[in-house]
Amino acid sequence: MNQIIGTDKETRFPSMLTKSDPFTILDKTKEKRLSLGEVLNGDRLVSRPFPIEFLRERNSVPVCKKKLSKEDVAKFRAVIHEDYYYQMYFDDLPIWGFLGMVNKEQQRYYLFNHILLNIYYNKDRVIEITSRSDTKAMVELTEDKEVDVEFLYTVEWKETDVPFEKRMAKYSQSYSLPRHLDIHRNSAINSCMAVLLLAGFLAAILRILNNDSVKYANDEELAADQEETGWKCIHGDVFRYPRHKSLFAACLGSGTQLLTLTVFIFILALVGVFYPYNRGALLTALVVLYSLTSGIAGYTATSFYCQLGGTNCVRNLLLTGCLFCGPLLLTFCFLNAVAVAYTATAALPVGTIVVIALIWTLVSSPLLVLGGIIGKNSKAEFQAPCRTAEYPREIPPLRWYRQTIPQMAIAGFLPFILIQTELYYIFASVWGHRIYTFYSFLFIIFISLLIVTALITATLTHLQLAAEDHSWWWRSFLCGGSTGLFIYAYCFHYYYARTEMSGFMQTSFMFGYMACVSFGCFLMLGTVGYLAALRFVRHVYGSIKCE
């Protein structure tokens, strides 16, 4: 029997569980060797000391006897009151059940001490296993007194015609009810409709700009008499390099890496790698793929930095490597210290920390440097259709709604509305006990998110240029990445409205790690927004005559 690693409510999650007695009820257990992802997820599995032999039924077989002290009884009462459940695995199939029950009318607490296991098989393969508690065999824990408990288990074998290849379908379908499918389907349809509307709006803007450019290109007298205003009068400044170009290039490099990483994760999810209860597979893939894609960050950042005329490539490469990993490392160190103080399974063993450090040192860092060397030697030049004036043009005073923060709020609100439904299910999976299997719908919404971010950033860039504001570089990145800020704000709503989490540890874990995730989304979507704005600006200014 495994120790507790979950709960029925969205109030606890596996990494929050402590390693103290009495919840590990067996005295003789053997720790199971875990993968990197399982350790990162906070799983600490132990092998059961009682046998379950194929097709051999057992009836009320004793597992062990345990004497619960007054303190143990109080702890059990607390977890029974909060609906904690145990979780075990047999042949990689999950088994779970509640620890006990509460008679609310009489305010009595009962501990289940007899587990009934029903195992379904097809020929020589195990297909399904279910668990239920014998309500006739319970131990009352209402009073604060020592209690002797004998834990028992019963095994029954039943034949089924379900093939072995479909034995995981049950766990996927349990969260694929028609009501949930309709919600995801409507979310995907709404995302596609938003893409079409924004694409039509941007196409109308481009059509007007093209007609305007053709009009002045064909009528030279009109072009000579007409004074340049709006976006046309800043053609000498629109491609002036931004401030803090080393940081800007590092943001683009990290954002490109995270975008590539996300696409690879979706590919693995769509081919079925992350099937239900493939423990730790997602976290393992994240660690490995992040290390392998470090070369993309180095190449993108250094290549773009050199295009902007940068000379200190070493500093730029160091900044790129630390831009996302630095905050993540600081957050991890703080939260791991908190987990150690609370003796929780979320505290990583020293061996796991050494393994992650070696992966970063021997894989991620060399690939980052290699990508930087290739990017520096690529000798690519920045393609600007207009020459940059020697002296910068003064930006006229802007109304409040054209400032950076209001523009970021506008740019991030619509993409966030499109993904809000999926965010709820993802949060319920990460911070609760739900299983997320709607990868196809999520992929559609992810593509819609990228397109909507690109379109709305390009549109806002046009409005900015029309106001003769040529400092669009950082603005486009901040507007594109502002959705990440909305995602982090949603964490507060989910924490207070959807969960019953409490205490310093749970609060710090949720807001700490979600800050890193939101920052990653900010970098990724900011890169998408900037690239869309760059393509838009090149297209617009490439179609006009500039003296």
Side-chain angles (χ1 to χ4, degrees):
M1 183 176 296
N2 292 354
Q3 70 183 97
I4 304 170
I5 60 170
T7 174
D8 181 61
K9 292 184 177 180
E10 294 177 14
T11 58
R12 303 288 190 274
F13 29 90
S15 60
M16 294 297 97
L17 301 163
T18 61
K19 298 177 281 189
S20 60
D21 286 335
F23 307 119
T24 303
I25 62 174
L26 299 177
D27 297 326
K28 296 180 180 180
T29 58
K30 181 180 179 181
E31 292 189 0
K32 185 180 181 298
R33 190 170 184 178
L34 304 176
S35 65
L36 176 62
E38 289 176 308
V39 178
L40 293 176
N41 196 42
D43 293 340
R44 300 296 183 267
L45 304 180
V46 294
S47 300
R48 68 203 187 311
F50 55 91
I52 298 180
E53 299 178 12
F54 190 70
L55 295 183
R56 182 179 177 181
E57 297 193 351
R58 293 176 173 270
N59 185 26
S60 300
V61 179
V63 179
C64 71
K65 293 183 179 180
K66 191 174 184 69
K67 188 179 186 70
L68 301 181
S69 63
K70 294 181 181 180
E71 292 77 11
D72 295 339
V73 170
K75 290 180 180 179
F76 265 113
R77 270 205 311 270
V79 297
I80 291 173
H81 178 75
E82 295 183 6
D83 293 330
Y84 271 73
Y85 65 82
Y86 63 85
Q87 183 164 321
M88 303 183 292
Y89 292 90
F90 177 73
D91 196 30
D92 285 332
L93 294 175
I95 319 164
W96 54 82
F98 289 103
L99 291 181
M101 60 175 289
V102 182
N103 187 328
K104 296 183 179 181
E105 296 180 356
Q106 302 178 0
Q107 286 298 312
R108 294 183 177 274
Y109 293 83
Y110 298 94
L111 173 67
F112 297 136
N113 63 320
H114 188 188
I115 300 176
L116 307 176
L117 301 176
N118 292 323
I119 306 178
Y120 297 84
Y121 69 96
N122 186 349
K123 297 180 181 179
D124 60 342
R125 307 302 295 268
V126 175
I127 305 301
E128 181 183 350
I129 182 169
T130 61
S131 170
R132 58 189 177 89
S133 300
D134 186 2
T135 56
K136 298 180 180 179
M138 299 185 297
V139 178
E140 186 173 353
L141 302 179
T142 306
E143 300 179 3
D144 286 329
K145 62 179 182 179
E146 295 184 351
V147 178
D148 292 323
V149 182
E150 182 179 25
F151 293 94
L152 311 170
Y153 77 101
T154 296
V155 179
E156 295 181 0
W157 291 85
K158 298 180 181 180
E159 191 172 7
T160 181
D161 57 355
V162 177
F164 179 78
E165 294 76 15
K166 296 183 178 181
R167 70 174 188 162
M168 284 294 176
K170 167 192 172 184
Y171 306 100
S172 300
Q173 294 172 357
S174 61
Y175 293 94
S176 301
L177 298 176
R179 179 172 64 88
H180 295 289
L181 288 175
D182 290 340
I183 293 174
H184 290 281
R185 189 181 297 112
N186 292 335
S187 179
I189 292 174
N190 293 336
S191 300
C192 295
M193 291 298 296
V195 170
L196 294 177
L197 290 175
L198 281 175
F201 184 67
L202 185 61
I205 293 177
L206 288 174
R207 184 179 180 85
I208 294 173
L209 294 177
N210 288 335
N211 291 339
D212 195 17
S213 300
V214 172
K215 176 181 178 181
Y216 287 102
N218 295 334
D219 195 338
E220 296 183 358
E221 295 182 0
L222 180 63
D225 296 337
Q226 183 72 26
E227 182 181 357
E228 289 185 341
T229 59
W231 60 274
K232 292 187 289 295
C233 70
I234 59 172
H235 59 78
D237 296 276
V238 73
F239 290 104
R240 188 179 303 279
Y241 297 152
R243 297 180 179 178
H244 312 295
K245 53 189 175 183
S246 180
L247 177 61
F248 190 77
C251 290
L252 291 181
S254 298
T256 304
Q257 178 189 8
L258 294 174
L259 179 61
T260 307
L261 168 66
T262 306
V263 171
F264 278 133
I265 290 294
F266 270 112
I267 293 175
L268 294 178
L270 293 175
V271 299
V273 173
F274 306 131
Y275 59 85
Y277 295 104
N278 186 6
R279 300 184 304 273
L282 177 59
L283 291 177
T284 302
L286 285 173
V287 173
V288 174
L289 289 177
Y290 183 82
S291 300
L292 295 178
T293 54
S294 296
I296 297 176
Y299 172 82
T300 304
T302 307
S303 176
F304 191 78
Y305 180 67
C306 292
Q307 291 181 37
L308 298 182
T311 57
N312 196 341
C313 295
V314 175
R315 185 183 65 178
N316 174 252
L317 207 57
L318 290 175
L319 183 59
T320 303
C322 297
L323 185 63
F324 182 73
C325 282
L328 181 62
L329 177 62
L330 293 176
T331 303
F332 163 75
C333 291
F334 171 73
L335 296 181
N336 197 65
V338 172
V340 171
Y342 279 81
T343 65
T345 58
L348 296 187
V350 177
T352 303
I353 297 176
V354 171
V355 169
I356 296 176
L358 289 176
I359 292 175
W360 186 82
T361 304
L362 301 179
V363 180
S364 181
S365 298
L367 288 177
L368 180 71
V369 174
L370 179 62
I373 294 175
I374 297 175
K376 182 180 179 180
N377 295 332
S378 62
K379 299 185 183 302
E381 295 183 359
F382 185 80
Q383 301 296 325
C386 301
R387 290 181 299 175
T388 301
E390 184 177 357
Y391 300 103
R393 183 186 182 92
E394 183 179 358
I395 299 176
L398 302 175
R399 295 182 178 271
W400 68 268
Y401 56 83
R402 291 184 182 272
Q403 300 293 332
T404 301
I405 294 179
Q407 294 287 297
M408 290 176 62
I410 296 173
F413 181 72
L414 180 58
F416 171 75
I417 291 297
L418 297 180
I419 65 174
Q420 182 181 4
T421 301
E422 295 303 315
L423 273 182
Y424 167 76
Y425 284 95
I426 293 174
F427 275 45
S429 175
V430 175
W431 303 110
H433 67 281
R434 292 180 180 269
I435 305 173
Y436 193 92
T437 57
F438 301 100
Y439 297 117
S440 57
F441 288 110
L442 185 60
F443 182 69
I444 294 174
I445 293 175
F446 173 72
I447 297 299
S448 301
L449 172 64
L450 298 183
I451 298 175
V452 168
T453 300
L455 292 176
I456 198 170
T457 305
T459 303
L460 291 175
T461 300
H462 164 67
L463 297 177
Q464 180 183 358
L465 297 177
E468 301 181 10
D469 181 3
H470 52 79
S471 59
W472 61 273
W473 298 70
W474 274 109
R475 176 79 66 84
S476 63
F477 189 94
L478 294 175
C479 288
S482 59
T483 306
L485 302 180
F486 279 86
I487 293 175
Y488 193 63
Y490 179 77
C491 295
F492 291 86
H493 166 74
Y494 186 85
Y495 178 85
Y496 290 106
R498 297 290 185 179
T499 74
E500 296 179 10
M501 294 183 186
S502 61
F504 178 74
M505 182 177 179
Q506 294 182 7
T507 303
S508 60
F509 261 73
M510 180 171 184
F511 290 108
Y513 280 127
M514 285 310 304
C516 295
V517 173
S518 300
F519 180 54
C521 293
F522 176 83
L523 293 175
M524 178 180 68
L525 297 177
T527 300
V528 173
Y530 164 74
L531 294 178
L534 176 63
R535 186 174 182 85
F536 173 81
V537 173
R538 280 175 173 170
H539 174 79
V540 170
Y541 285 92
S543 60
I544 65 173
K545 288 185 177 181
C546 300
E547 298 296 334

